Structures are given as C-alpha cells and as structure tokens.
Amino acid sequence: SREKQVTEKEFVLSAWNDEGYMMDIDQYCEHYQLPRADVKEYKLVSHTGTPYYNIRFKEVAESEVMSFDLEAIVKKHIKPVEVDSVYVPIIKEENDFDTLTYTDVHIGMDTNPDNKAMYSVEWNRETTLASCDRMIKDTIDNQKSNTLVIDELGDFLDGYNQQTTRGGHALPQNMSNEEAFDTALEFKMRLIDGLAPYYSNIMVNNICNDNHAGSFGYFVNKAFKDICDVKYPEIEVNNYNKFINHYYMDNTCFVITHGKDDTSLKFGFKPHLDPKGIEKIDQYLKQNDVYKHANKIVFKKGDSHQALFDMCSTDDFFYFNYPALSPSSMWVQNNFKKGRRGFVLESFKDSDIHELKPIFI
C-alpha cells in the first residue's frame, strides 16, 4: 500500500534549505546541528528524490586526540638549535648506510594486570625510556656509516581508550591516553636527540597503519615530524599510512609494513613465509616496478613479536620479522611463552655486504 511505502522509505536529511536552495556542507551541518569539525569526508547525493549529504565522521580516537593540547606538548620538546653545533663526522665510513629497526613498543600496555601474569615484567614510562637509551647506545657502539635509517614498524602505542584500532577488544593498560601520548613523543625525541650528533644523514620511517596504535600512533608521529622539521630540518621523517610501503637506499629496496592493518586484515602476514604471502608481496613488487630498480629487496615486518630472518624461502626477496621492543603481554605469556624482546641493527654496502645484529634486552 501507499502508506506502507512511505513508512519504509529511507529517512534522509534534505540538502534543501527552507527557502528551497541547496545547502553547502557548512550550512548543512549548522542546519541539522551536526559536528562539522568531526566530518572526515562527505559527498552530495543528488540523484535521489531528496538530495542529501553522505557524511563519514572521524573515528572517536581521531577526533578526541585532536582535542589534546598539542601545542603545549610540542613546545616542551623543541629547544633552541645552536648554530655552531654542526655535525662533524667522527668515523671513517666502512659501509654505505646503517639501519636501526624496532617495532611493537606498545606504550601504555599493562603487562601484569591484577598481578596475574606468569612472568611479571614492568613496562612503564621509565622502563620504556630505558629501552630507548639502550637502542641509542648500541646503535652508536655499532656504527659503521655516517648515514642512518631508522625504521619503526608499528604498534608504537598499545591502543586508545583501552581498545585496539578495530574496537571490541579490551586491552589492559597502565597509562591514560594523555600519558601514553606524552611518553610516546618523549621516546621519539629522546631517540633522535641521542643519535643526531653522530650521523650526517638520518632518515626516519614510521608505520602508522597497524592494529593497535592506528590514528593515535599517527598523531604522535605527526607531532614528532613537526618538531623535527623545526629542530632538525636536515633529518627526513616519513609517516606511512598505507598497509605496505617501500623506499630505496642505493640499489636496495626496503618494503615495510606492520604485518596487520588497522581495519580489514584478520591474520595479516605470518611469521613464516607461505605461498599466499609470497604471492601478495610479489604482486606488490611487480605493481611498483621494484624488480626493475633494485638489486636487493628486503621485506620488513613487525607484529609477530619474533626475530625470524628468512633469506631462503624465495630467491626474490628477504623476509624479515623483527622482535618487539616491549615485553610480552599477559595474553601472550599465557598462550605461548615469555618470549624475547629487542631491536635489530644492520649495515649495508654495495648491495652485497649485509651485516645483521639482533640485540635482545
């Protein structure tokens, strides 16, 4: 019946105003009292009987993080740069470039909720920054080049509002959102401040598409990049929002990912390379013409919290899993084992020499 059709018709907010003119997005939000600042994307749908705006709002974490007093936090980490403090190389270069790779820091994670963990390991601001200091010391002690690449492979923070990026998975945490943000930014600045005087060239790559930190991690890395642009304009900082990314150093291509993304992948890349993983990586390399431009290809991932370096499963690329810097969560301890945590130092020359040194803490 006509009455039933009217009842079942989809309800939309008309883009016509009271005078019969089409409203723009600002007028539309004001008219219907919608939060314009939280609108991430919008599209005018005009092919229907009643035109309306199809609006996508920001995630809760994204909109709430924007309310942080970022200016005050950023100013705290910016100090005047001395003009005469110019870097002078302190070593004779043995190799073309060094790399420091760390992942899965999980800042804010409570490793011993309710004092029930099998292997109680303290993970708070002090122990997190102590791990940062250890990375600085070992990187300098093993320096073989004046060029350094720092790769951070995701899950830098444990979550937002005690949730993963996909929600529905409660996480035991020992920091508020603000404390986690501040500690994470302090970690990043502490690392770059400690290493900058020892290298003439530094490039920092941060994975911002993962299953724990998500948008929260991006905002930390965005603040870090903004500070570095002022304090260290010669340092290159790249924040990657795609699931898989790549960059070149000489004739070597590094393909970097967390291993899981922020929304769709339930299992992601496995710690042991399988045919499905080979096919997915191979398609990416072909799509981006990597085979044509690289003599060596190194695929780098985190997520698995394991140090596994596969140079044999395929002749086309190395498949490297990097250890987590953080201790194992109680869930991992109970379901698997205590595990080992750390980071990895590497050094490259002429696409032939590849020195690899895992450091376990």
Side-chain angles (χ1 to χ4, degrees), residues 87-295:
Y87 166 83
V88 178
I90 61 172
I91 68 165
K92 180 180 179 181
E93 289 194 282
E94 299 178 25
N95 292 341
D96 295 330
F97 60 94
D98 298 337
T99 67
L100 162 63
T101 306
Y102 68 100
T103 184
D104 293 271
V105 185
H106 288 275
I107 290 174
M109 175 178 63
D110 187 351
T111 58
N112 188 22
D114 301 321
N115 200 30
K116 294 180 179 179
M118 293 175 62
Y119 311 100
S120 179
V121 178
E122 200 170 32
W123 192 239
N124 51 31
R125 176 183 174 275
E126 289 70 28
T127 54
T128 302
L129 295 179
S131 297
C132 179
D133 290 341
R134 175 66 185 274
M135 286 202 300
I136 295 169
K137 180 181 184 303
D138 283 5
T139 302
I140 295 170
D141 288 347
N142 290 276
Q143 182 178 9
K144 294 188 176 180
S145 170
N146 290 312
T147 297
L148 175 67
V149 179
I150 303 173
D151 284 340
E152 186 258 295
L153 301 180
D155 277 5
F156 185 54
L157 295 103
D158 192 52
Y160 187 85
N161 282 342
Q162 299 186 347
Q163 296 282 318
T164 62
T165 59
R166 306 173 196 189
H169 182 182
L171 300 169
Q173 295 180 349
N174 57 13
M175 294 184 188
S176 67
N177 294 328
E178 290 79 3
E179 289 170 338
F181 186 97
D182 203 13
T183 300
L185 187 55
E186 184 176 1
F187 181 105
K188 291 275 182 175
M189 290 311 306
R190 193 183 189 106
L191 183 63
I192 204 67
D193 287 341
L195 293 174
Y198 294 88
Y199 294 88
S200 55
N201 301 293
I202 296 180
M203 177 171 68
V204 183
N205 301 302
N206 301 310
I207 293 294
C208 302
N209 189 326
D210 52 38
N211 57 310
H212 273 260
S215 296
F216 200 22
Y218 170 77
F219 282 110
V220 170
N221 285 314
K222 178 64 168 64
F224 169 68
K225 176 176 172 59
D226 289 346
I227 296 171
C228 283
D229 287 345
V230 175
K231 191 173 183 180
Y232 300 111
E234 71 282 0
I235 292 177
E236 178 182 349
V237 179
N238 302 303
N239 294 329
Y240 292 101
N241 291 310
K242 293 182 180 180
F243 174 48
I244 304 177
N245 314 268
H246 70 281
Y247 65 90
Y248 291 89
M249 290 295 294
D250 300 331
N251 294 321
T252 299
C253 180
F254 296 93
V255 184
I256 56 176
T257 180
H258 176 62
K260 287 194 186 82
D261 70 345
D262 54 1
T263 53
S264 57
L265 287 174
K266 184 176 182 181
F267 298 108
F269 286 104
K270 298 178 180 178
H272 296 283
L273 187 59
D274 60 6
K276 184 177 180 180
I278 292 176
E279 181 182 10
K280 185 179 292 186
I281 297 169
D282 179 65
Q283 289 175 352
Y284 179 89
L285 298 175
K286 289 176 179 176
Q287 178 68 28
N288 292 279
D289 289 330
V290 174
Y291 288 127
K292 297 179 181 178
H293 300 101
N295 294 336

Side-chain angles (χ1 to χ4, degrees), residues 69-84:
D69 189 359
L70 289 177
E71 185 177 358
I73 294 175
V74 168
K75 284 183 177 179
K76 182 172 67 174
H77 294 283
I78 296 181
K79 299 176 182 178
V81 179
E82 298 292 337
V83 178
D84 58 353

Side-chain angles (χ1 to χ4, degrees), residues 40-76:
K40 187 171 186 177
E41 297 176 2
Y42 64 90
K43 179 180 180 181
L44 177 62
V45 180
S46 57
H47 61 271
T48 57
T50 302
Y52 65 96
Y53 281 97
N54 187 352
I55 297 176
R56 180 185 174 196
F57 290 98
K58 296 176 182 177
E59 299 292 336
V60 174
E62 188 173 341
S63 60
E64 289 188 13
V65 169
M66 288 298 290
S67 68
F68 281 8
D69 189 359
L70 289 177
E71 185 177 358
I73 294 175
V74 168
K75 284 183 177 179
K76 182 172 67 174

